[in-house]
Amino acid sequence: MRAYRIAIVGAGPAGYFAAQALQNRQSAEVSFAIDMFEKLPTPWGLVRSGVAPDHPKIKSVSKVFEKIASDEGFRLLANVNVGVDISLDELKSLYDAVVVAIGAPKGKTLGIPGEGLKNVISSANFVYWYNGHPEYIDLEVDLSGSQAIVIGAGNVAMDVGRMLAIDPQELVTTDTAEHALQTLHDSKIRDVYITARRGAESAAFTAPELRELPDIESVDVIIDERDIDGAISRAGNDPEKHVKSNLDAMHSISMAPTKNRSRRLHFLFQHRPLSINGGSEVESVTFETPQGIVDVPCNLVVTAIGYLPSEFPGLLRRDSQYENQNGWVADNLYVVGWAKRGPQGVIGTNKSDAAAVMETMVSKLKEAKPRIDVLPILQEREIQVVSQRDWTLINDEEVRRGVEQGKPRVKFTSVAEMLDLLALH
Ligand code: NAP
């Protein structure tokens, strides 16, 4: 029997699917004890802090994560900041292999004038804010103006556009963070413009997300039919399947009669941002369009143009991911998820991707290392490790508070409050 010990850094979808792939490979000859490290006291990564609160179905994958966590050989070591509390090199020496699954949490920048103005916010921060990520709850978000511009035409731009446009009454039964729900409740924003630098045929949305837009009760979704006609003709006779599905969905939206709502979500195509303008506050965005230069007034800009990985000691950034060869970095170090392939793909994409990396990893494993437990090392450093049992207490309390208010959960947004709760048990 070969008993290996694997460290996974990051408790998001890619980390869990890597763990699942290892669990699936266990047999009478080989076993894997998995320690999953997570910076926050709460696991699930983007499923908790990234997925839009009005998309609860997508979050149901957390049940799969909890099943993975229930395996005998699995330990959650949350509230441990790898790179600060313990280094990647230390993990590499303690474990047979280390799998980094820390995603790409930084928003890309446009590199145009005005990006530093007040109320120009990256989706990376804005999404964490409305999802109650403890490090972003104090983000300054001013929704006192009537118009918002979202730059980018991917699913994140769509999430942000919906969250800004929707009547917050529709969010009351979601797990939107309480501070964000209050700010959205007071919001004066009524027109949200999702802006794409290319035509609709090149938009990065996916069709299911487009198809659900007309179902938002409180919002009129506005797409100019001429934009879609132009896109259909540019896409030619034999467009790729996802392009055709997107264009069909957008065409149907463009033809729908108005619901005469006071809240509107507009799509502007072929609008390349040139500058964000204003004094102390943002006032407009200047775009280059086929019709010439246009200025669109706004009081808030959210850029949703993709993500970059953070600086991480022991990993080299190359483009939008860490340097790797099919997930292998060097020695016994691997990356999975957005850390490996850049910020692309839906949650499910991580399943096959992580499984392929784990296959490579397992094929390279040799003699198992002698067991040295990381827990006493962390305890000596006075790190308060949040275990699976501790997380269950936090989770149960959030769900209990949610039941009282008819929501799936009311999230803790302060690490100190979570640790206080644990101190009571
Ligand atoms: P994305 O899909 O790569 O879209 C990024 C968008 O930003 C593109 O429209 C891109 O336009 C635009 N962009 C990039 N640089 C720009 C610039 N300098 N100026 C103007 N526009 C610029 O990225 P994402 O929206 O961040 O999503 C990341 C991944 O997560 C995607 O795979 C997405 O499907 C997934 N996701 C899925 C869901 C869901 O399933 N519901 C929700 C959220 C995210 P160009 O194409 O012209 O470069």
Side-chain angles (χ1 to χ4, degrees):
M1 175 73 158
R2 285 164 297 138
Y4 292 111
R5 298 173 54 253
I6 311 294
I8 296 179
V9 183
Y16 277 104
F17 284 129
Q20 186 187 52
L22 290 173
Q23 290 171 351
N24 289 343
R25 300 184 80 85
Q26 298 194 106
S27 66
E29 281 87 49
V30 61
S31 71
F32 298 100
I34 297 165
D35 280 353
M36 179 178 274
F37 294 84
E38 165 60 46
K39 186 166 104 170
L40 292 175
T42 54
W44 304 354
L46 280 187
V47 169
R48 179 177 170 96
S49 307
V51 172
D54 63 335
H55 274 168
K57 265 197 210 141
I58 299 180
K59 296 184 193 225
S60 61
V61 69
S62 58
K63 291 201 188 88
V64 177
F65 300 164
E66 290 303 295
K67 178 143 195 308
I68 294 164
S70 69
D71 189 271
E72 206 187 323
F74 181 100
R75 285 197 306 190
L76 177 68
L77 304 169
N79 200 36
V80 179
N81 193 355
V82 174
V84 175
D85 299 333
I86 189 159
S87 72
L88 209 46
D89 278 343
E90 287 177 285
L91 293 186
K92 281 168 68 182
S93 70
L94 289 169
Y95 290 87
D96 294 300
V98 179
V99 182
V100 176
I102 55 175
K106 285 163 62 86
K108 277 188 186 161
T109 51
L110 286 162
I112 61 173
E115 220 174 345
L117 285 175
K118 196 162 163 264
N119 232 21
V120 178
I121 302 173
S122 166
S123 61
N125 304 344
F126 189 69
V127 169
Y128 278 155
W129 171 76
Y130 63 61
N131 275 320
H133 187 301
E135 290 162 21
Y136 294 84
I137 53 172
D138 294 326
L139 185 74
E140 264 188 64
V141 176
D142 178 357
L143 307 183
S144 61
S146 64
Q147 301 217 142
I149 289 179
V150 183
I151 297 179
N155 283 334
V156 173
M158 183 113 78
D159 283 348
V160 168
R162 271 195 338 272
M163 288 296 290
L164 285 170
I166 207 166
D167 184 330
Q169 276 309 113
E170 291 196 52
L171 297 173
V172 163
T173 55
T174 70
D175 65 359
T176 308
E178 297 296 288
H179 61 272
L181 201 53
Q182 187 56 51
T183 306
L184 290 165
H185 181 78
D186 297 338
S187 169
K188 298 280 178 291
I189 288 177
R190 292 297 176 267
D191 287 278
V192 179
Y193 295 84
I194 294 182
T195 62
R197 62 179 168 180
R198 298 191 284 159
E201 72 282 11
S202 307
F205 312 124
T206 48
E209 277 63 32
L210 285 164
R211 281 191 214 111
E212 71 175 32
L213 288 179
D215 297 337
I216 307 175
E217 252 319 294
S218 55
V219 178
D220 265 319
V221 184
I222 298 168
I223 295 180
D224 189 328
E225 194 191 339
R226 288 166 300 182
D227 279 340
I228 307 307
D229 289 344
I232 290 170
S233 90
R234 285 190 298 274
N237 290 333
D238 192 18
E240 282 183 53
K241 199 172 155 218
H242 77 275
V243 173
K244 182 168 182 333
S245 305
N246 270 3
L247 290 176
D248 285 349
M250 288 190 262
H251 186 254
S252 151
I253 293 171
S254 75
M255 302 298 287
T258 172
K259 294 184 268 189
N260 284 320
R261 299 287 185 256
S262 59
R263 296 168 178 273
R264 289 165 291 269
L265 179 62
H266 310 253
F267 287 74
L268 300 179
F269 294 101
Q270 296 181 294
H271 276 58
R272 179 178 297 275
L274 296 180
S275 66
I276 303 173
N277 316 306
S280 57
E281 314 259 308
V282 57
E283 287 166 13
S284 69
V285 178
T286 304
F287 293 97
E288 181 186 37
T289 77
Q291 287 74 42
I293 304 291
V294 298
D295 250 6
V296 182
C298 65
N299 322 89
L300 164 73
V301 174
V302 181
T303 57
I305 57 167
Y307 290 83
L308 292 170
S310 303
E311 294 272 354
F312 197 85
L315 291 169
L316 280 177
R317 283 193 298 187
R318 171 149 311 191
D319 304 324
S320 299
Q321 66 257 1
Y322 296 111
E323 209 165 82
N324 73 88
Q325 289 163 30
N326 298 322
W328 177 67
V329 178
D331 312 320
N332 59 347
L333 181 62
Y334 296 81
V335 281
V336 292
W338 282 12
K340 172 201 168 228
R341 63 176 194 278
Q344 42 179 291
V346 294
I347 288 166
T349 313
N350 292 300
K351 194 169 173 166
S352 53
D353 203 45
V357 179
M358 291 305 94
E359 188 177 348
T360 309
M361 191 190 89
V362 171
S363 73
K364 288 188 185 220
L365 287 170
K366 299 196 176 78
E367 279 297 292
K369 287 186 179 168
R371 182 188 160 97
I372 304 171
D373 192 1
V374 75
L375 267 181
I377 300 174
L378 294 169
Q379 275 153 4
E380 196 172 309
R381 293 176 193 180
E382 297 184 0
I383 310 300
Q384 185 179 343
V385 178
V386 171
S387 65
Q388 181 66 25
R389 179 187 163 275
D390 295 336
W391 154 239
T392 304
L393 291 170
I394 296 170
N395 193 16
D396 288 351
E397 176 60 12
E398 288 189 343
V399 172
R400 189 194 66 72
R401 300 191 316 187
V403 169
E404 280 175 2
Q405 299 187 31
K407 300 169 187 253
R409 69 179 59 240
V410 175
K411 285 180 189 169
F412 284 100
T413 55
S414 145
V415 170
E417 275 179 25
M418 293 186 237
L419 299 183
D420 284 350
L421 172 85
L422 297 180
L424 297 174
H425 288 81

